Amino acid sequence: PSAYRQLVQAEGERGSSLALRLVIFGGEALDLASLAPWFERHGDERPRLVNMYGITETTVHVSYRPISRADLVEPWRSPVGVPIPDLSIHLLDSHGRPVPIGVPGEMHVGGAGLARGYLGRPDLTAERYVPNPFAGSGERLYRSGDLARWRPGGEIDYLGRIDHQVKVRGFRIELGEIEAALVQHPAVREAVVFLRGESGESRLVAWIGTAGEEAPAGSDLRAFLAGKLPDYMIPAAFVALPALPLTAHGKVDRRALSAPEDLAEKAGRASAPPRTGLERLLVDLWEESLGLKGIGIDDDFFELGGNSIRAAILINLLRERLGRPVPVAALFLAPTVARLAASLEESHRAWNTGFSPLVPLATGGPGLPFFCVHPAGGVVFCYADLARALAPDRPVYGLQSLGLGDRDPQETIEEMAATYLEEVLAVQPEGPYLLGGWSLGGAVALEMARRLRETGREVGLLVMIDAVAPWSVQRRDETGQDDAGFVLERLAAELDPAAGETLRAEAGKLQGLSSEERLEGIVAAAKRAGLLPADLGTEPVRRLVRVYRANETAFTRYRPAPWAGRTLLIRAAEGVMRRDPTLGWDGLLTGELETVTVEGTHQTILLEPGFKDLVRVLRERLARFSPV
């Protein structure tokens, strides 16, 4: 396909036809969108286009698929069709089990075409050539390392390399999906996307081969992709080239694509410099939190790769540097340096009116507000991506713990529910109300729903996201792990699962120390890993630990009365209570109950791989309720 794109360009420039009967593609994934100019000039009868999938280790071609103009409007990634007669293809999961239609699996090839193995590499041969469980003794399958899915008609859709699947901000991403979206832009002829690390932080970088003399602006590409991809899949930087470099075999030479020296400069934004002392301070904090240089006052914190834990760090840094309260909502409502500086200057009085548990995560939209209650950590950053995904259809508010401010954390679920309801009623005096929460937040939302109904108000829907019943959870002090170090590790996992894994590994080195020593050790480890800034004081960390402990205790003591309203229970497929469809709530959720299972674990349910399904289900269910 890389060489073919040069052929299409050359033919278009010369304006002449080529005497071809067949064009056969192989060696790289074929992006169907790149065929549109060819079909416009030639139709799809002559020359005939055929896509083939092949691997050297299967000598060589494995499958084939004639391509027509109609395929361009079908939801294909790269159709490779059906196996040639002397080979078989099996799509298997990580446990060697066949995957159902539409589910990605690794391509395993069997049959007469398999090579014997790798010369002089018995270890690699044993790793890649495995016994065939679907054939007789001695038969083998070759593990290709390629991802594909079955289409309903029995054909195979190639998705990309397994090693081209990456994680960004906890979301699993297929780089080929971003590349396919980029080449749909009229000014982009070809595209390659990598995950590049810088100062311990990984970001997506896209290299594009331009279709005209003028390269598209990064801001234009970003706006174009925003209509096709979720925000976590939009590259942080774009590098435009007249053409992507090719190897001697005509494939894209990925090794020749050098990383941009400054992602902020290559991101295609107008990086205007700071104009005031406050903007200078904010730029410094942006660069410190994100590990980037060259950030301008119009750069968006989240578009530059900011995530939940980095947003929490930034707010704490702002509070310390300014010496006054800054609400969590500030960064969501004003995510650029210029907008946040203006808000802080123009609304000085508003920022100092005291801590509020209500956090606007997404404002505007015609739908009813959706109120999300914090998990055990007390913060609502975990709902940031969810709020952005549900916008602009409806406002989304988070409800955070009072203990994050200057007050002591509340000690019971009932107290939390009463406090948060005051905030909800101030925003929305009349029902129906849409309430939800992940983990502990589901239990608080349930208590809020009960109290609303007791006062004669209508609750449209209660959404419980992998929220288990309190009596199914063992008390922390019963496990012998109720210390500040353990709590901080769990809290980090709520904000960012990757951060939780890092701290968990560090916590294992601190066994036998006192609670205070473990806390100091894990805080130091978090700073070394770049999860916390080096100059962050200990008080914000201690405050978070106090909130977590209080919330966990309140949750395990909570004994709710039955709830007879409408409930949507969204469960993690790999949750701790997989065999109980109600997660321990049986007999208490007595009204209309719908359960939905999405991929992931309790800690990753708001991330990929199940995030898209979770958003889709929520959009559909919440859309049924309109303002009265």
Side-chain angles (χ1 to χ4, degrees):
S2 298
Y4 162 77
R5 286 193 290 268
Q6 312 304 316
L7 175 65
V8 173
Q9 182 181 10
E11 191 210 20
E13 293 171 352
R14 293 172 55 187
S16 61
S17 298
L18 301 174
L20 296 172
R21 290 183 293 110
L22 279 173
V23 177
I24 300 176
F25 301 101
E28 288 179 320
L30 172 65
D31 172 51
L32 291 182
S34 68
L35 304 178
W38 184 273
F39 282 140
E40 289 175 4
R41 292 201 293 268
H42 299 281
D44 56 9
E45 291 299 323
R46 186 181 178 93
R48 196 75 167 115
L49 306 187
V50 178
N51 193 28
M52 299 195 76
Y53 168 76
I55 328 166
T56 302
E57 290 86 348
T58 60
T59 63
V60 168
H61 285 121
V62 174
S63 68
Y64 67 98
R65 171 61 154 72
I67 306 296
S68 67
R69 187 195 297 264
D71 291 323
L72 270 64
V73 297
E74 293 292 322
W76 291 100
R77 180 75 61 79
S78 184
V80 296
V82 297
I84 61 176
D86 67 337
L87 293 174
S88 63
I89 298 178
H90 304 271
L91 304 186
L92 309 179
D93 63 17
S94 58
H95 301 288
R97 300 171 300 196
V99 296
I101 292 173
V103 175
E106 183 178 3
M107 298 179 75
H108 290 62
V109 181
L114 268 65
R116 296 179 181 177
Y118 296 98
L119 183 62
R121 294 292 306 277
D123 53 339
L124 186 59
T125 299
E127 177 188 343
R128 306 307 296 184
Y129 289 88
V130 298
N132 185 350
F134 312 105
S137 176
E139 296 292 324
R140 299 175 304 154
L141 293 176
Y142 175 72
R143 293 181 54 214
S144 68
D146 290 321
L147 282 174
R149 61 187 172 194
W150 290 109
R151 291 293 299 271
E155 294 188 298
I156 296 172
D157 191 12
Y158 176 84
L159 302 177
R161 293 287 301 168
I162 287 178
D163 51 14
H164 288 177
Q165 273 200 342
V166 299
K167 269 193 173 183
V168 176
R169 294 160 55 189
F171 295 95
R172 188 169 296 281
I173 292 172
E174 293 175 10
L175 299 179
E177 188 173 349
I178 307 173
E179 296 167 356
L182 270 171
V183 297
Q184 295 177 39
H185 191 284
V188 177
R189 188 174 68 254
E190 51 192 344
V192 173
V193 179
F194 283 146
L195 185 69
R196 284 290 166 88
E198 201 169 284
S199 301
E201 179 74 6
S202 296
R203 290 175 176 82
L204 294 170
V205 181
W207 286 261
I208 61 171
T210 57
E213 294 184 0
E214 186 173 348
S219 55
D220 292 340
L221 293 173
R222 182 169 291 102
F224 177 79
L225 293 178
K228 300 178 177 295
L229 302 172
D231 65 325
Y232 55 83
M233 292 181 68
I234 297 176
F238 299 90
V239 183
L241 301 170
L244 299 183
L246 302 181
T247 67
H249 300 288
K251 299 182 181 182
V252 173
D253 188 354
R254 294 173 177 258
R255 294 182 180 179
L257 297 171
S258 58
E261 295 179 358
D262 191 328
L263 291 185
E265 291 180 357
K266 295 290 186 180
R269 300 176 191 75
S271 297
R275 300 160 297 186
T276 67
L278 180 56
E279 287 184 349
R280 177 72 264 171
L281 170 63
L282 293 177
V283 165
D284 290 343
L285 294 181
W286 249 242
E287 293 180 350
E288 181 180 348
S289 298
L290 297 172
L292 286 175
K293 297 297 182 182
I295 291 179
I297 62 174
D298 297 316
D299 291 334
D300 186 292
F301 179 81
F302 297 102
E303 287 183 0
L304 285 174
N307 56 21
S308 300
I309 195 165
R310 293 188 180 277
I313 290 169
L314 186 62
I315 291 298
N316 276 317
L317 284 172
L318 273 174
R319 289 170 176 165
E320 288 193 352
R321 302 286 176 87
L322 296 177
R324 53 188 170 92
V326 178
V328 173
L331 191 56
F332 290 98
L333 297 178
T336 69
V337 169
R339 290 170 57 189
L340 182 55
S343 296
L344 290 171
E345 290 171 344
E346 296 172 9
S347 306
H348 191 182
R349 180 189 57 79
W351 297 131
N352 285 278
T353 55
F355 178 87
S356 171
L358 189 72
V359 180
L361 299 176
T363 57
L368 287 169
F370 181 43
F371 298 91
C372 301
V373 184
H374 61 81
V379 297
V380 293
F381 288 117
C382 56
Y383 301 120
D385 288 307
L386 179 62
R388 291 161 74 91
L390 294 177
D393 294 342
R394 67 184 64 255
V396 179
Y397 294 91
L399 291 159
Q400 62 181 342
S401 171
L402 287 180
L404 299 176
D406 297 329
R407 298 171 58 179
D408 291 332
Q410 293 174 297
E411 297 182 350
T412 69
I413 297 295
E414 291 82 359
E415 289 177 330
M416 297 179 206
T419 298
Y420 303 157
L421 279 179
E422 293 179 7
E423 302 291 334
V424 169
L425 294 175
V427 172
Q428 183 188 349
E430 302 293 334
Y433 296 93
L434 306 177
L435 307 173
W438 166 50
S439 191
L440 171 140
V444 182
L446 181 149
E447 182 63 26
M448 293 168 64
R450 285 188 55 260
R451 291 174 177 239
L452 283 170
R453 197 163 193 180
E454 286 176 355
T455 60
R457 294 181 171 89
E458 179 185 359
V459 177
L461 184 64
L462 168 64
V463 180
M464 304 178 74
I465 304 176
D466 213 50
V468 301
W471 40 84
S472 63
V473 178
Q474 189 177 24
R475 285 280 301 277
R476 286 291 161 249
D477 52 9
E478 293 173 3
T479 68
Q481 300 184 89
D482 187 25
D483 62 80
F486 174 78
V487 172
L488 184 61
E489 169 200 325
R490 290 289 304 273
L491 177 61
E494 281 191 2
L495 292 171
D496 185 330
E501 292 175 8
T502 300
L503 294 192
R504 189 172 299 114
E506 293 293 335
K509 305 174 185 178
L510 303 172
Q511 298 296 332
L513 301 179
S514 68
S515 175
E516 185 65 21
E517 289 172 330
R518 278 174 54 84
L519 173 62
E520 293 176 356
I522 290 182
V523 168
K527 291 180 178 180
R528 289 194 302 270
L531 301 174
L532 295 174
D535 59 347
L536 182 68
T538 58
E539 183 52 34
V541 177
R542 296 182 191 280
R543 187 184 304 125
L544 291 173
V545 169
R546 287 196 296 269
V547 168
Y548 197 103
R549 280 176 166 167
N551 286 341
E552 287 263 295
T553 300
F555 176 67
T556 54
R557 292 174 177 172
Y558 178 50
R559 293 297 179 266
W563 160 246
R566 186 183 290 107
T567 304
L568 171 62
L569 181 61
I570 303 178
R571 306 168 63 247
E574 301 175 49
V576 294
M577 299 184 66
R578 285 173 291 182
R579 298 181 181 178
D580 184 349
T582 70
L583 300 183
W585 297 102
D586 186 37
L588 278 171
L589 304 178
T590 59
E592 179 184 335
L593 173 63
E594 178 186 9
T595 60
V596 176
T597 301
V598 298
E599 292 186 65
T601 66
H602 179 73
Q603 295 295 349
T604 66
I605 192 169
L606 292 174
L607 307 171
E608 287 294 344
F611 182 74
K612 291 179 182 177
D613 285 338
L614 185 145
V615 170
R616 175 184 54 79
V617 170
L618 273 179
R619 279 186 178 276
E620 293 174 356
R621 305 309 186 270
L622 296 177
R624 299 173 184 175
F625 303 95
S626 302
V628 294

